[in-house]
Amino acid sequence: MLGTLDSVRDKCLRSGADLPGSGEIAGRAINNALIQRLKPLYTGVDFHSPETQVQAWIWVEQARSAIAEAGLPGADLQPVNRQAVDLARQLGAWERAWVSVTESLRVGYQRNERVTLLAKAARLAWERANLADAITFGQEARTASIAVGLPWVRLYAYQAGVIATAAGSGNIYAALTSYENCVDKRGHASRPDRAWETAQIALDAGADIDRLSDFLRKVSFHEHASRHRSAFASVILADHSDSTAPRQDWDGIEFALLSAPDRARFHLAAARAAIRNDRYSAAAIELRKGREYLRLWPGRIADSFTPLATRFLDAPPTTPAQQQVLDLLVEGLSNNAIAHQLKISPRTVAVHVQALLRNAGANSRTNLALSELRRRLTEESPQPFISWRS
């Protein structure tokens, strides 16, 4: 384990980091110290707590300050800024990720680093449904990668090409084929997660599930991916096929390793699976948890929650008088009992009930009461509820 960021910075200052050849080493040492600090947090159960997030961003700023105070060139900020973008994604902070990557692109980076940042910018733009920027950054990444031989750089570049194609309504399958052929088998084996990210982009663009499964087979994704990532991919692909993955795939997912957007995807898939099993309360809880991870990550994933969230989580529009009737209806009171308590006529109560049924899309007062009770009970649910899998 490397020392603290402060100690690394001090060592750089004392050792004369401006000597020929030493700046790159010092910059790498600071970045490695940051990685060592952040790595345990990514798998911690409280990683998404406000306190942990604040601490993580403090360490990022300390790394940036260490590089500046050591008098290192701006290029040494490259890996630290990439860490910042990845941290923001992990925490589900889209705006912070976007600012980090776009500000980084204003600096004169060396080509490999620029390709990486352009690809990350394209992906962020795609997920926000900002198609113009997704195309621009994606095409720039592909252009900047010409004659680059490093597999990890080429995979980033061709993933960016898939994004640009998806955003521009091009032939997504041709773009996937280009990704397949951009490196050899060893190259794909070194970055299986990149293949899944690319497949997920194509999935969001409406690509056929069978074609995507074939793409993942050709790049040997399941052969080289971790059990966790392979299981997560199987769950998401099954959900998009309107089916539910087998129990062993759900159990194979290590929830703590998922980024905030992927946690939301997990809960959405779980909600849909619960609905297929007529477990509507479980679905409501999964939806509530999923939306919590998207508070700072607007865009495609958040939009995919809208239809189900409207049905299970969002209160139907009511007037003050209708709300009073609904509150008593949830308690199981009859129209006459509600009229007595509110000192209005049963006929007025019946009019309000009909309006509530219409606004909620419910076919009976019993279903209306159950839906409203479910919504209220799941409003503050602290934990995911996935007992429908047992």
Side-chain angles (χ1 to χ4, degrees), residues 86-161:
D86 292 342
L87 173 63
R89 167 175 287 280
Q90 199 73 14
L91 295 173
W94 189 92
E95 291 290 349
R96 198 150 197 170
W98 184 251
V99 169
S100 293
V101 75
T102 52
E103 287 185 349
S104 297
L105 286 170
R106 297 192 185 103
V107 181
Y109 287 123
Q110 55 98 351
R111 184 168 59 171
N112 292 345
E113 196 68 35
R114 185 167 182 80
V115 170
T116 302
L117 289 167
L118 285 167
K120 289 180 181 292
R123 187 179 174 197
L124 287 169
W126 167 256
E127 292 181 345
R128 189 65 177 268
N130 183 345
L131 300 186
D133 281 343
I135 293 171
T136 298
F137 287 127
Q139 291 177 342
E140 284 187 25
R142 282 286 290 109
T143 301
S145 71
I146 293 175
V148 171
L150 292 173
W152 67 273
V153 180
R154 291 181 63 80
L155 288 171
Y156 265 122
Y158 279 80
Q159 180 187 82

Side-chain angles (χ1 to χ4, degrees), residues 138-203:
Q139 291 177 342
E140 284 187 25
R142 282 286 290 109
T143 301
S145 71
I146 293 175
V148 171
L150 292 173
W152 67 273
V153 180
R154 291 181 63 80
L155 288 171
Y156 265 122
Y158 279 80
Q159 180 187 82
V162 171
I163 295 170
T165 301
S169 300
N171 188 325
I172 192 66
Y173 303 113
L176 289 174
T177 299
S178 294
Y179 182 94
E180 293 169 14
N181 297 329
C182 76
V183 297
D184 59 17
K185 291 184 177 180
R186 181 178 298 180
H188 283 303
S190 69
R191 296 292 189 277
D193 281 6
R194 197 82 66 244
W196 169 244
E197 292 167 4
T198 305
Q200 198 157 247
I201 291 161
L203 188 64

Side-chain angles (χ1 to χ4, degrees), residues 54-77:
V54 168
Q55 183 60 71
W57 286 116
I58 287 174
W59 287 336
V60 170
E61 292 308 317
Q62 284 179 339
R64 287 171 171 160
S65 296
I67 287 173
E69 292 178 28
L72 302 177
D76 284 296
L77 277 172

